[in-house]
């Protein structure tokens, strides 16, 4: 095995005991490990006298234990493996074999099956020294791992049978696994889908993230709406991870920059912590490749514990250094309203970047042997920044190359730009991170110096491109493009211009000029995953560091995540950069893994698909789904298709009863909107449409109601960030509307409204297969891509939505007639907002009717004036209906009437459903990863044999 000092995926394991023998087996191109409870023989290595740390052949199992193909992965050996872990690696008492203990023992058994491939994959990368991609993300929304892992290993049946022998069914055991709380929304789920595809396609790659102890938060729904409590996913341990105590790196904050006698700059003093690696195996599907997700946890060395203070009774002071280090990885996206919150977020981001780059560089140096050629670094390493959170990779890589490796600025800059690439996920200005210059200077003084040099380099590039004959044009370019915002020009540059005095740019005026929202009220901010800009009362605007601009300048590629989004990125968000460097900009439409999002979460539908296509190859080659199109009108297929959907709906009905207490009719249409709660995603438009529907139902006789409306179960799910007050009002409103409608005897099963608390990946895996209509109704031009829309479409759900994000491409693939379209388009939005500001907007009378109905108290005593007030007026923060709910409301409710008409014709609806699945082939993350590998990373597949 690889020795621990290599930082590889090796695991220290016992080779022999009186109770167990370690056996490896291969079957159908799979490798697994199981512990069989055999007492009669010692292990092979002990017999042969081989040293325990002998380096094995990285490619073949024979390098470990010889030819063991005679040991098939049968249920009996797997059951023995589970029993071994229940007895010898327990996290629970030995008295009972409870479901939670069964899960841990089963997961540890599966992990054994992954370790040999995990180690062999890593060793192959070391041996071949190929170029490797590293995906850095603040989020990895993994979901449960057990069913995904055994599915990828093609051992689902064997594990089900093994657990049956032990008195359990696989589903019960799998349900004991908590969702890993390492992410929140689409950003993190995309990262996890990408890792699945990277492993499945045999690309050499790793993921890097942080090991959050409490994640974002666990959402509870009470009479007051959403309440947040700490997530407890690590409370009883994580059976998948392996701590690498030998893989740790120093991370520094604060201090100062000193100049040595050699003239070199050094970062000294300040606070020092240690980042420790925790590794999680990511198996590919039908391949031995198992890649790594390395998560960093933070601590300080034991000598930082102040024993004297502790013995003197100053316990808090004694533990202060440890507490400060540990809190970096306590939660995902700590609130940043306070100065301490901002510092903690910046510490998180720098910890991810610094530890990961130190690890990457150490691996590069080790693989280079004694001949390190730094100019080859970009030929061996590709670093992808998932949004702006890992932006500090750019100055950190520059710091390491210059200060620690002795390179010149020009050499380090050339290497950095060729190594790093940036994925943009938003056009929202509050999500294009800006950090206080003063705060960053206090926390990362050396990096600020480097950023200042990059900014000056950018200014020189702009002048080189455009000259100095048009100072006004240059001022506009500098205002839009500079990394440092509200800074005077360097003296050397200012002297070149006819107008050397640069007026500070007001943040709020710029945002209005670009027709984008700027958050100025701490109580109303959307804080999740963003570092929000605040308007200060002082007349002089604050000095800021614009992280997105730094990403564009410092990387060699910038990509949007859907065709329409990438066009907005080029034409609006970064237009000045696009004019300067058009070759940097690309589109990479997001994708989702068909393994988790069809094959494993929807086995009923998967069986139908496989039967009619005639092969299960579609799981790897989703273009084969198109073969279903020729059967879309076949009555037998339609019957089987509807039966699979109804089976999933029955499961969801049971789940909703257990989770919320509400009973729903599985024969009603399941209408679902599940995603982060945010004003631009317009859950408010959805619930106001439901209120309108309810009001009209109440005004009708039963017969008229039945003729007019199709029965619906309207399901919501998603978290509002803890400090995003308006989003939390929307959650409260949805639950109040549900409580009123669901207890109205006049309505009965005609309409139900259910908010599912604590929405996560596991809940999505249950809801999405049961969905019939899914709402993707964001204000056009504001959703970068969306990935839940792809998951719904893959599972035969029909979308209602605007032409926004990936909706545009989904509609193209599934056919216009199989997508319910409404609303203003992206190119119209700016003019519509200006029209509103000019007082020219005339609201639809149905919209006014709904608002008045809400204000009347029909849904309880809570005061919704502020929520409804956001939809009124012509200007002002928190008013003027910035997200155009009122503008799109008429077309939305008319489109919903079209939905009802289509649903009444079940043959037509089922055909639409089938064609949605067949048209989703383009949205596999496999296709996306192939494009990244070819166009951005320049890496090639490397497969174990």
């Amino acid at each position: 095995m690889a020795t621990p000092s290599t930082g590889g995926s090796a695991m220290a394991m016992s080779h022999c005991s009186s109770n167990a023998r370690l056996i490896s087996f291969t079957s159908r191109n799979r490798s697994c490990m199981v512990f069989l409870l055999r007492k009669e023989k010692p292990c092979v290595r002990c017999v042969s006298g081989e040293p325990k740390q002998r380096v094995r052949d990285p490619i073949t199992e024979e390098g470990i234990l010889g030819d063991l193909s005679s040991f098939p992965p049968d249920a009996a050996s797997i059951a023995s493996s589970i029993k071994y872990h229940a007895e010898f690696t327990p996290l629970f008492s030995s008295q009972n074999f409870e479901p939670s203990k069964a899960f841990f023992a089963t997961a540890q058994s599966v992990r054994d099956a992954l370790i040999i491939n995990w180690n062999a994959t890593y060793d192959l990368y070391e041996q071949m020294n190929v170029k490797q991609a590293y995906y850095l993300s603040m989020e990895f929304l993994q979901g449960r791992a057990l069913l995904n892992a055994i599915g990828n290993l093609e051992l689902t049946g064997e594990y089900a049978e093994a657990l049956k022998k032990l008195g359990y069914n696989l589903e019960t055991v799998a349900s004991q696994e908590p969702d890993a709380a390492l992410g929140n929304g689409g950003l993190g789920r995309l990262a996890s889908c990408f890792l699945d595809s990277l492993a499945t396609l045999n690309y050499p790659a790793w993921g890097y993230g942080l090991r959050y102890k409490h994640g974002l938060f666990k959402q509870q729904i009470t009479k007051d709406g959403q309440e947040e409590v700490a997530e407890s996913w690590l409370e009883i341990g994580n059976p998948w991870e392996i701590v690498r105590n030998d893989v740790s790196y120093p991370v520094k904050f604060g201090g100062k920059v000193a100049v040595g006698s050699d003239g070199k700059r050094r970062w000294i003093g300040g606070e020092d912590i240690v980042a420790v690696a925790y590794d999680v195996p990511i198996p590919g599907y039908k391949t031995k490749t198992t890649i790594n997700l390395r998560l960093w946890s933070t601590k300080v060395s034991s000598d930082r514990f102040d024993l004297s203070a502790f013995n003197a009774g100053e316990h808090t002071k004694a533990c202060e250094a440890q507490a400060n280090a540990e809190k970096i990885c306590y939660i995902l996206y700590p609130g940043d309203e306070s100065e301490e919150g901002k510092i903690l977020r910046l510490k998180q981001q720098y910890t991810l970047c610094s530890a990961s780059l130190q690890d990457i560089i150490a691996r590069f140096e080790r693989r280079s042997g004694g001949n390190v050629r730094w100019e080859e670094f970009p030929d061996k390493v590709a670093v992808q920044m998932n949004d702006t959170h890992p932006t500090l990779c750019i100055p950190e890589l520059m710091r390491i190359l210059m200060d620690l490796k002795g390179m010149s600025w020009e050499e380090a800059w050339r290497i950095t730009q060729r190594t790093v690439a940036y994925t943009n996920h938003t056009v929202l200005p509050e999500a294009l991170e800006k950090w206080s210059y003063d705060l960053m200077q206090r926390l990362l003084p050396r990096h600020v110096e480097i950023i200042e040099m990059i900014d000056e380099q950018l200014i020189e590039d702009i002048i080189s491109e455009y000259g100095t004959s048009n100072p006004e044009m240059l001022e506009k370019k500098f205002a839009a493009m500079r990394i440092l915002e509200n800074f005077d020009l360097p003296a050397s540059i200012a002297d070149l211009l006819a107008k050397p005095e640069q007026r500070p740019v007001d943040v709020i005026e710029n945002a209005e000029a670009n027709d984008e929202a700027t958050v100025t009220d701490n109580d109303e901010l959307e804080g999740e995953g963003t570092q929000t800009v605040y308007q200060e009362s002082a007349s002089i605007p604050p000095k800021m560091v614009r992280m997105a601009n730094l990403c564009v300048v410092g990387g060699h590629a910038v990509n949007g995540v859907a065709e329409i989004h990438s066009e907005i990125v080029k034409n609006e968000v970064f237009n000045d950069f696009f004019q300067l460097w058009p070759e940097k900009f690309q589109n990479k439409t997001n994708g989702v893994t068909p393994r988790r999002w069809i094959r494993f979460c929807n086995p009923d539908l998967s069986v139908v698909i496989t039967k009619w296509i005639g092969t299960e190859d579609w799981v790897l080659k989703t273009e084969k789904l198109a073969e279903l199109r020729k059967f879309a009108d076949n009555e037998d297929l339609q019957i089987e298709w509807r039966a699979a959907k109804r089976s999933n709906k029955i499961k969801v009905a049971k789940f909703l009863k257990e989770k919320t207490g509400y009973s729903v009719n599985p024969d009603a249409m399941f209408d679902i909107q599940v995603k982060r709660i945010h004003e631009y995603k317009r859950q408010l438009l959805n619930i106001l449409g439901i209120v309108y529907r309810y009001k009209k139902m109440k005004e009708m006789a039963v017969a008229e109601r039945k003729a007019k409306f199709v029965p619906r179960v309207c399901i919501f799910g998603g978290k509002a960030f803890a400090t995003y007050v308006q989003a939390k009002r929307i959650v409260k409103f949805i639950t109040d509307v549900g409580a009123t409608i669901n207890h109205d005897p006049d309505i009965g099963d005609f309409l139900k409204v259910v908010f599912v608390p604590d929405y996560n990946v596991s809940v999505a895996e249950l809801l999405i297969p049961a969905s019939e209509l899914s709402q993707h109704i964001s204000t056009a031009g504001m959703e970068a891509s969306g990935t839940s829309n792809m998951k719904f479409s893959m599972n035969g759900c029909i979308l209602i939505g605007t032409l926004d994000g990936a909706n545009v491409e989904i509609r193209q693939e599934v056919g216009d007639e199989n997508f319910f379209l409404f609303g203003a388009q992206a190119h119209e939005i700016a003019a519509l907002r200006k029209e509103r500001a000019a007082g020219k907007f005339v609201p639809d009378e149905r919209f006014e009717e709904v608002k008045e109905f809400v204000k009347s108290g029909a849904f309880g005593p809570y005061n919704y004036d502020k929520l409804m007030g956001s939809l009124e007026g012509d200007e002002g923060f928190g008013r003027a209906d910035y997200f155009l709910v009122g503008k799109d409301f008429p077309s939305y409710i008319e489109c919903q009437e079209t939905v009802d008409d289509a649903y009444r014709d079940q043959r037509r609806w089922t055909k639409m459903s089938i064609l949605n699945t067949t048209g989703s082939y383009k949205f596999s993350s496999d296709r996306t990863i192939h494009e990244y590998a070819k166009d951005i990373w320049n890496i090639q597949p490397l497969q174990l044999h």
Side-chain angles (χ1 to χ4, degrees):
M1 290 208 175
T3 60
S5 62
T6 66
S9 299
M11 173 183 174
M13 304 182 71
S14 171
H15 295 286
C16 181
S17 76
S18 61
N19 294 309
R21 178 184 177 193
L22 178 59
I23 291 181
S24 172
F25 55 77
T26 62
S27 176
R28 289 179 292 156
N29 295 320
R30 299 192 301 262
S31 294
C32 298
M33 285 187 183
V34 292
F35 283 94
L36 302 184
L37 300 181
R38 295 183 179 179
K39 301 181 180 180
E40 67 275 14
K41 292 182 180 179
C43 81
V44 173
R45 288 191 187 177
C46 294
V47 170
S48 65
E50 292 176 4
K52 291 182 180 181
Q53 291 298 322
R54 181 180 67 83
V55 177
R56 58 178 168 76
D57 182 332
I59 312 300
T60 66
E61 294 78 14
E62 288 78 0
I64 298 180
L65 294 173
D67 182 9
L68 297 172
S69 60
S70 59
F71 296 96
D74 57 73
S77 61
I78 289 172
S80 295
S81 171
I82 295 171
K83 286 165 63 179
Y84 172 89
H85 283 292
E87 183 173 356
F88 292 103
T89 55
L91 293 171
F92 301 86
S93 61
S94 60
Q95 284 77 13
N96 299 305
F97 192 58
E98 300 293 341
S100 53
K101 184 175 182 178
F103 159 67
F104 269 82
T106 303
Q108 287 160 337
S109 167
V110 176
R111 191 182 72 175
D112 288 348
L114 298 177
I115 282 175
I116 188 169
N117 290 341
W118 197 13
N119 288 338
T121 301
Y122 176 81
D123 288 346
L124 181 62
Y125 296 168
E126 289 282 294
Q127 183 186 71
M128 302 301 293
N129 192 20
V130 294
K131 185 173 185 180
Q132 187 167 334
Y134 299 96
Y135 196 81
L136 271 65
S137 178
M138 288 291 284
E139 296 187 46
F140 286 92
L141 196 58
Q142 291 290 93
R144 291 171 175 163
L146 180 59
L147 293 180
N148 192 72
I150 64 174
N152 278 356
L153 288 168
E154 300 181 88
L155 291 174
T156 302
E158 288 86 345
Y159 267 89
E161 186 179 347
L163 285 166
K164 188 176 180 181
K165 291 176 181 292
L166 299 175
Y168 283 105
N169 67 60
L170 178 57
E171 289 72 21
T172 299
V173 171
S175 69
Q176 300 299 308
E177 181 175 7
D179 276 44
L182 297 171
N184 174 37
L187 182 83
R189 186 53 236 172
L190 176 78
S192 295
C193 283
F194 277 9
L195 293 186
D196 175 273
S197 287
L198 283 164
T200 297
L201 301 173
N202 302 298
Y203 282 114
W206 272 18
Y208 280 106
L210 295 181
R211 182 179 178 266
Y212 304 107
K213 184 176 181 179
H214 297 297
L216 187 69
F217 58 80
K218 184 179 291 184
Q219 180 194 53
Q220 296 179 343
I221 301 298
T222 70
K223 62 180 178 62
D224 298 316
Q226 172 182 295
E227 293 186 2
E228 305 87 26
V229 297
E231 178 61 61
S232 58
W233 78 286
L234 280 177
E235 203 163 73
I236 56 175
N238 177 10
W240 303 107
E241 68 184 12
I242 298 176
V243 59
R244 309 293 188 188
N245 288 311
D246 57 326
V247 182
S248 62
Y249 298 97
V251 179
K252 181 186 291 294
F253 306 106
K256 63 181 181 180
V257 179
V259 181
S261 58
D262 58 359
K264 293 183 178 180
R265 307 184 75 80
R266 293 289 185 271
W267 185 16
I268 61 173
E271 175 189 1
D272 295 301
I273 67 165
V274 177
V276 181
Y278 284 73
D279 287 351
V280 180
I282 308 294
Y285 178 69
K286 290 190 176 183
T287 177
K288 293 181 181 183
T289 300
T290 301
I291 65 172
N292 194 33
L293 170 58
R294 177 157 284 179
L295 303 172
W296 300 108
S297 187
T298 44
K299 67 175 187 177
V300 293
S301 58
S302 58
D303 60 8
R304 298 292 304 280
F305 178 78
D306 191 337
L307 187 60
S308 297
F310 194 87
N311 287 333
E314 299 178 73
H315 301 152
T316 302
K317 177 183 176 183
C319 303
E320 185 176 10
Q322 183 64 36
N324 285 336
E326 288 181 350
K327 72 181 180 182
I328 292 172
C329 291
Y330 271 168
I331 68 169
L332 170 67
Y333 302 142
D336 63 353
E337 299 73 50
S338 66
E339 183 79 356
E340 284 301 313
K342 292 179 175 67
I343 290 171
L344 188 56
R345 279 208 191 187
L346 192 55
K347 281 185 172 182
Q348 286 184 333
Q349 294 186 5
Y350 179 62
T351 298
L352 170 64
C353 296
S354 180
S356 301
L357 281 173
Q358 290 181 71
D359 196 40
I360 291 166
I361 287 171
R363 191 170 301 111
F364 170 75
E365 291 180 315
R366 184 174 63 252
R367 292 178 183 176
S368 299
N371 183 30
V372 178
R373 298 172 60 88
W374 286 105
E375 66 272 17
E376 293 179 356
F377 187 78
D379 299 323
K380 299 295 184 181
V381 171
V383 174
Q384 189 69 35
M385 301 183 296
N386 192 28
D387 216 357
T388 52
H389 309 129
T391 305
L392 289 168
C393 281
I394 294 167
E396 175 68 357
L397 183 54
M398 292 289 293
R399 181 189 73 85
I400 294 172
L401 294 177
M402 291 192 299
D403 297 358
L404 304 184
K405 305 303 176 182
M407 291 185 201
S408 68
W409 169 270
E410 291 76 14
E411 291 171 322
W413 185 235
R414 186 163 54 250
I415 289 170
T416 298
Q417 283 192 306
R418 290 177 57 208
T419 300
V420 176
Y422 162 53
T423 298
N424 173 274
H425 284 278
T426 186
V427 299
L428 298 178
E430 69 266 25
L432 293 174
E433 288 186 291
K434 298 180 184 181
W435 285 102
S436 162
Y437 174 85
D438 293 336
L439 184 152
M440 187 175 283
Q441 192 171 49
R442 293 202 310 272
L443 205 65
L444 302 169
R446 179 58 177 138
H447 297 76
V448 167
E449 288 186 344
I450 293 169
I451 290 169
E452 288 173 339
M453 294 175 72
I454 296 172
D455 184 68
E456 188 165 344
Q457 174 89 51
L458 172 63
I459 292 171
E460 292 175 358
D461 289 345
I462 293 171
I463 291 175
S464 176
E465 176 69 19
Y466 297 106
T468 59
S469 61
N470 190 340
E472 290 185 0
M473 181 270 289
L474 282 179
E475 279 195 3
K476 290 179 180 178
K477 293 286 183 184
F478 295 151
M481 299 174 71
R482 285 190 66 184
I483 298 161
L484 299 177
E485 184 177 61
N486 303 321
F487 276 72
D488 291 333
L489 287 169
S492 59
I493 303 298
D495 291 343
L496 295 175
L497 303 181
K499 294 183 178 181
E501 295 298 325
Q502 183 182 20
R503 184 178 66 85
V505 180
D506 186 279
V507 177
I508 306 303
E509 288 180 357
N510 271 351
E512 290 174 351
N514 291 324
D515 198 38
E516 296 290 355
T518 300
V519 177
T520 58
D521 184 335
N522 290 5
D523 288 338
E524 304 290 336
L525 67 93
E526 190 281 312
E528 102 195 284
T530 69
Q531 205 289 325
T532 309
V533 183
Y534 301 98
Q535 183 181 19
E536 297 192 357
S537 57
S539 58
I540 300 176
K543 293 181 177 180
M544 308 296 291
V545 180
R546 298 194 279 198
M547 307 302 274
N549 289 25
L550 179 55
C551 286
V552 176
V553 176
H556 66 89
V558 179
N559 71 277
V561 289
E563 287 179 359
I564 186 174
H565 170 242
S566 294
E567 290 305 305
I568 292 171
V569 164
K570 291 190 295 186
N571 297 329
E572 298 178 31
V573 181
F574 297 127
N575 181 250
D576 290 284
F577 289 108
F578 177 65
Q579 292 178 38
L580 184 60
W581 298 309
E583 70 283 354
K584 283 193 179 189
F585 289 82
Q586 303 183 21
N587 174 61
K588 295 287 174 279
T589 298
N590 283 341
V592 300
T593 168
R595 270 75 64 186
R596 184 179 287 269
W597 294 111
I598 310 182
R599 177 63 184 84
F600 301 149
C601 78
N602 199 346
D604 292 340
L605 188 63
S606 296
V607 169
V608 175
I609 293 171
T610 298
K611 173 186 172 181
W612 285 83
I613 292 178
T615 176
E616 204 178 42
D617 289 352
W618 60 269
V619 181
L620 282 170
K621 301 175 181 178
T622 52
E623 64 271 15
K624 288 185 175 292
L625 291 171
E627 295 180 21
L628 281 175
R629 290 174 183 165
K630 60 189 176 188
F631 304 116
D633 289 308
N634 185 289
E635 186 174 355
D636 292 336
L637 171 58
Q638 290 203 356
I639 290 170
E640 293 175 23
W641 199 269
R642 286 194 292 269
K645 182 68 71 174
R646 192 174 193 281
S647 174
N648 290 321
K649 290 170 70 178
I650 291 171
K651 294 175 189 175
V652 167
K654 181 181 178 183
F655 167 78
L656 293 178
K657 178 66 176 177
E658 293 171 352
K659 197 81 171 176
T660 70
Y662 290 132
S663 298
V664 302
N665 178 12
D667 291 318
M669 179 201 296
F670 276 27
D671 173 352
I672 300 180
Q673 187 180 21
V674 283
K675 53 186 71 209
R676 282 187 303 124
I677 309 298
H678 193 296
E679 289 171 278
Y680 90 83
K681 293 178 183 288
R682 299 203 296 189
Q683 286 91 351
L684 185 55
L685 175 60
N686 185 351
I687 192 63
L688 288 176
I690 292 169
V691 168
Y692 179 81
R693 188 180 188 90
Y694 173 62
K695 185 174 186 295
K696 293 306 167 187
M697 282 184 174
K698 292 286 287 182
E699 295 168 357
M700 294 176 180
V702 174
E704 186 182 3
R705 186 183 304 154
K706 188 173 182 179
K708 177 72 172 176
F709 295 106
V710 165
R712 289 203 199 190
V713 177
C714 300
I715 301 171
F716 292 83
K719 296 178 181 179
F721 192 69
T723 55
Y724 189 4
V725 175
Q726 193 74 314
K728 294 179 77 170
R729 288 182 186 133
I730 293 171
V731 174
K732 168 67 173 166
F733 183 43
I734 292 169
T735 58
D736 282 352
V737 170
T740 299
I741 293 176
N742 298 345
H743 293 101
D744 189 330
D746 293 339
I747 299 302
D749 284 342
F750 272 106
L751 184 61
K752 297 288 185 184
V753 179
V754 184
F755 191 98
V756 180
D758 205 36
Y759 177 68
N760 57 24
V761 174
S762 295
V763 175
E765 289 172 334
L766 188 65
L767 294 181
I768 290 173
S771 61
E772 294 175 286
L773 180 75
S774 185
Q775 309 227 12
H776 302 272
I777 57 178
S778 52
T779 311
M782 303 195 77
E783 183 75 85
S785 175
T787 51
S788 64
N789 47 6
M790 302 170 185
K791 298 163 195 168
F792 281 101
S793 185
M794 277 184 174
N795 283 273
C797 179
I798 301 157
L799 309 187
I800 180 171
T802 53
L803 283 179
D804 196 25
N807 283 2
V808 177
E809 292 159 84
I810 290 174
R811 184 168 177 261
Q812 289 170 355
E813 296 301 327
V814 306
D816 297 359
E817 68 279 9
N818 300 309
F819 185 106
F820 295 106
L821 177 67
F822 76 95
Q825 296 186 32
H827 67 273
E828 302 173 313
I829 301 301
L832 289 170
R833 287 177 177 148
K834 290 176 181 177
E835 178 186 87
R836 180 74 180 239
K840 297 178 181 179
F841 173 67
V842 179
D844 186 271
E845 60 182 20
R846 293 166 290 185
F847 185 58
E848 295 300 293
E849 179 185 353
V850 165
K851 288 193 297 181
E852 291 306 313
F853 187 48
V854 173
K855 292 176 183 178
S856 72
F859 302 104
Y862 186 85
N863 187 338
Y864 283 108
D865 287 350
K866 288 187 177 179
L867 182 61
M868 293 298 103
S870 70
L871 306 174
E872 297 173 343
D874 294 327
E875 58 184 355
F877 177 76
R879 294 179 63 79
D881 192 13
Y882 184 81
F883 301 98
L884 304 183
V885 174
K887 173 64 181 177
D888 282 350
F889 185 79
S891 62
Y892 176 69
I893 60 173
E894 289 161 10
C895 190
Q896 289 284 16
E897 292 173 3
T898 306
V899 171
D900 279 0
D901 290 340
Y903 194 76
R904 288 190 184 93
D905 183 348
Q906 278 294 291
R907 283 187 59 83
R908 175 191 171 196
W909 187 274
T910 305
K911 180 178 180 179
M912 294 171 71
S913 174
I914 294 168
L915 292 174
N916 262 268
T917 295
T918 65
S920 64
Y921 73 93
K922 181 180 177 181
F923 304 104
S924 165
S925 52
D926 295 354
R927 182 266 313 155
T928 314
I929 286 299
H930 277 312
E931 293 181 4
Y932 272 97
K934 177 174 65 75
D935 300 334
I936 297 179
W937 304 332
N938 191 27
I939 60 174
Q940 302 296 323
L942 185 63
Q943 186 169 3
L944 288 168
H945 296 289

